[in-house]
Each structure stands twice: as C-alpha cells, then as structure tokens.
Amino acid sequence: FTILARNYRKPYGELDLVAIKDEVLAFVEVKARAYHLFETAVLVPLSKQKKIIKTAYAFIAEHKMIDKVYRFDIALIYATCGTLSIDYIPDAFTDELG
C-alpha cells in the first residue's frame, strides 16, 4: 500500500490514514491501546464509523476516485511487556450501516 493522506480532516470527521494498492482504497482508523483484548465495536463505535464513512466519501469525491474499490480497516497498536505490536483488521466495518 502507498499512503495518500494522513489525518485528512473535514468538519464532520477525520481519516487517520488513506492508502491505495492497485484498485483498493483503504481508509484506516489507527488505535493505540495498552491491551490487546478489544472488540471492533468497542474500538470504533457506530457513531465514529458514520463519521469515518462520511469523511471517506468526501475524500473519494475530492480526489475523483469513484472508480476504486474501498474498504474500512483498523490498525490496532498495543504494548505487551514493553513490546509494540500491530493487529491489522481489513474490512473491519462497512458503509452498510442501515
């Protein structure tokens, strides 16, 4: 993946990272936690997901990337015994919130 944007902001939300590889555009929410045991729903609640999705649509429109496949990922950074680790969750949530 190639990073296109970091901390992309709109009045209604922010995208931590926007990255692209081939035809896949990934909107990545980065979370740092002291512990590893969290569910996705706790990491990024529905209200935050809606903000990320709305901001992602703005990014897609602004950068004319409507032909790309997009997804919403989470990068979880956590410390265990002084060691940093990353759990990467592709397709952590979708824009079909209903």
Side-chain angles (χ1 to χ4, degrees):
F1 278 85
T2 300
I3 295 175
L4 299 177
R6 291 179 178 90
N7 302 317
Y8 175 85
R9 289 185 177 92
K10 290 292 179 187
Y12 40 80
E14 178 182 359
L15 303 171
D16 292 336
L17 294 174
V18 180
I20 192 166
K21 182 177 182 184
D22 301 323
E23 295 302 310
V24 176
L25 190 59
F27 299 99
V28 184
E29 178 69 6
V30 179
K31 294 292 185 181
R33 296 290 181 261
Y35 299 101
H36 173 65
L37 303 173
F38 287 94
E39 292 183 28
T40 303
V42 173
L43 290 172
V44 185
L46 187 58
S47 59
K48 177 72 171 175
Q49 290 178 30
K50 288 180 179 181
K51 290 177 183 179
I52 291 169
I53 291 165
K54 185 174 182 179
T55 308
Y57 286 159
F59 183 91
I60 290 167
E62 185 177 311
H63 293 88
K64 298 175 178 48
M65 296 188 148
I66 59 172
D67 61 331
K68 304 296 182 200
V69 174
Y70 60 91
R71 68 183 198 206
F72 300 95
D73 301 351
I74 297 175
L76 174 60
I77 302 168
Y78 61 94
T80 305
C81 301
T83 302
L84 290 179
S85 299
I86 298 175
D87 278 347
Y88 194 83
I89 307 165
D91 285 318
F93 58 94
T94 68
D95 62 348
E96 299 170 2
L97 297 173

